[in-house]
Amino acid sequence: MLFYKRFPPYVLQVLHVAPYFYVFADVIEKEQGVLYVIDQRGEVVKEIPLLTSSARSMAAFRNYLVIATKPRLTIIDPHSWRVTYWDMGQEETRFDQLQVKGDALWVSYVQREKSGWIALNDQFKLIEKHELPSVYWEARFHGDYVYILFEPQEGNKADNAGEMNIFQLRTAQLAAKFTVPKQKHNLQTFYVMDEIQ
């Protein structure tokens, strides 16, 4: 074992980018988060209080650590520990999944009655936006595609657990679509794999 560390409840995300481990924990009663920066020996290097909560994903993008949080993206410079925030100008936004691809940071999001994904450049300027007319349940980036799981249509709720839509990342064209069969257990999340081992 490398090290053992105990954190407050509600650790939501952990990311290792040498030389540090980044641990995001939610402080639910304050609707805020805290980022613990841990070195290779398990010592806390920095504890950074944040104004955001509900971290869904973390990624290293250029020289920054980016956390998909609610209601803004949280951006941390690991050299100065300076924290900045980026938002879309709508309070109901919940940022979801992150993917670094090429020179862009791809971010999926959910708003009150719609959802979609955007691309940001290294200055965190919006360079692409793809919007869907409804709210999704779960989304995952995988290579050149976005996998999005929607709630089953009103008439199909008894027969299936949801509807999977696979979109081209850059064009938002629908590449495939299928219903997820209902099982005896409820569907909560999914993962995209290159192959089944």
Side-chain angles (χ1 to χ4, degrees), residues 2-3 16-21 37-43 45:
L2 186 59
F3 63 81
H16 178 248
V17 180
Y20 300 121
F21 293 90
V37 182
I38 313 296
D39 67 15
Q40 302 289 339
R41 296 180 317 274
E43 300 298 320
V45 174

Side-chain angles (χ1 to χ4, degrees), residues 25-43:
D26 231 347
V27 184
I28 292 178
E29 59 276 2
K30 293 184 179 178
E31 293 187 11
Q32 294 180 340
V34 60
L35 185 73
Y36 297 97
V37 182
I38 313 296
D39 67 15
Q40 302 289 339
R41 296 180 317 274
E43 300 298 320

Side-chain angles (χ1 to χ4, degrees), residues 12 23-28 30-36 48-55 69 85:
L12 297 181
V23 178
F24 182 99
D26 231 347
V27 184
I28 292 178
K30 293 184 179 178
E31 293 187 11
Q32 294 180 340
V34 60
L35 185 73
Y36 297 97
I48 305 170
L50 303 171
L51 301 175
T52 50
S53 65
S54 303
T69 47
Y85 300 97

Side-chain angles (χ1 to χ4, degrees), residues 2-179:
L2 186 59
F3 63 81
Y4 172 85
K5 199 83 181 163
R6 184 179 279 281
F7 292 99
Y10 308 113
V11 168
L12 297 181
Q13 294 292 319
V14 178
L15 179 68
H16 178 248
V17 180
Y20 300 121
F21 293 90
Y22 297 96
V23 178
F24 182 99
D26 231 347
V27 184
I28 292 178
E29 59 276 2
K30 293 184 179 178
E31 293 187 11
Q32 294 180 340
V34 60
L35 185 73
Y36 297 97
V37 182
I38 313 296
D39 67 15
Q40 302 289 339
R41 296 180 317 274
E43 300 298 320
V44 176
V45 174
K46 193 84 175 159
E47 184 177 324
I48 305 170
L50 303 171
L51 301 175
T52 50
S53 65
S54 303
R56 301 271 299 164
S57 181
M58 286 199 289
F61 177 59
R62 298 297 187 201
N63 296 318
Y64 298 98
L65 174 71
V66 182
I67 311 171
T69 47
K70 176 179 145 185
R72 299 173 289 266
L73 284 179
T74 300
I75 303 162
I76 299 168
D77 181 341
H79 298 34
S80 65
W81 304 118
R82 182 172 170 259
V83 179
T84 56
Y85 300 97
W86 186 91
D87 66 44
M88 293 175 66
Q90 296 189 349
E91 286 184 21
E92 295 88 16
T93 303
R94 177 178 55 83
F95 292 104
D96 188 25
Q97 298 298 304
L98 303 173
Q99 172 180 263
V100 176
K101 186 160 180 61
D103 292 334
L105 174 67
W106 294 86
V107 184
S108 63
Y109 68 90
V110 174
Q111 291 174 333
R112 182 175 287 177
E113 295 175 359
K114 58 190 173 189
S115 56
W117 63 96
I118 58 175
L120 302 172
N121 67 13
D122 60 356
Q123 302 296 309
F124 294 95
K125 302 281 188 231
L126 185 69
I127 52 176
E128 284 189 44
K129 182 177 182 181
H130 302 286
E131 200 166 87
L132 302 170
S134 60
V135 173
Y136 65 70
W137 265 356
E138 286 282 324
R140 295 284 180 270
F141 292 108
H142 190 73
D144 293 322
Y145 296 94
V146 185
Y147 293 73
I148 295 185
L149 180 64
F150 289 99
E151 183 178 2
Q153 299 299 318
E154 202 53 51
N156 299 333
K157 286 189 177 182
D159 300 326
N160 65 67
E163 183 179 282
M164 178 65 72
N165 289 247
I166 305 168
F167 297 95
Q168 296 267 346
L169 180 68
R170 295 189 177 277
T171 65
Q173 286 187 318
L174 186 64
K177 179 180 187 176
F178 59 89
T179 57

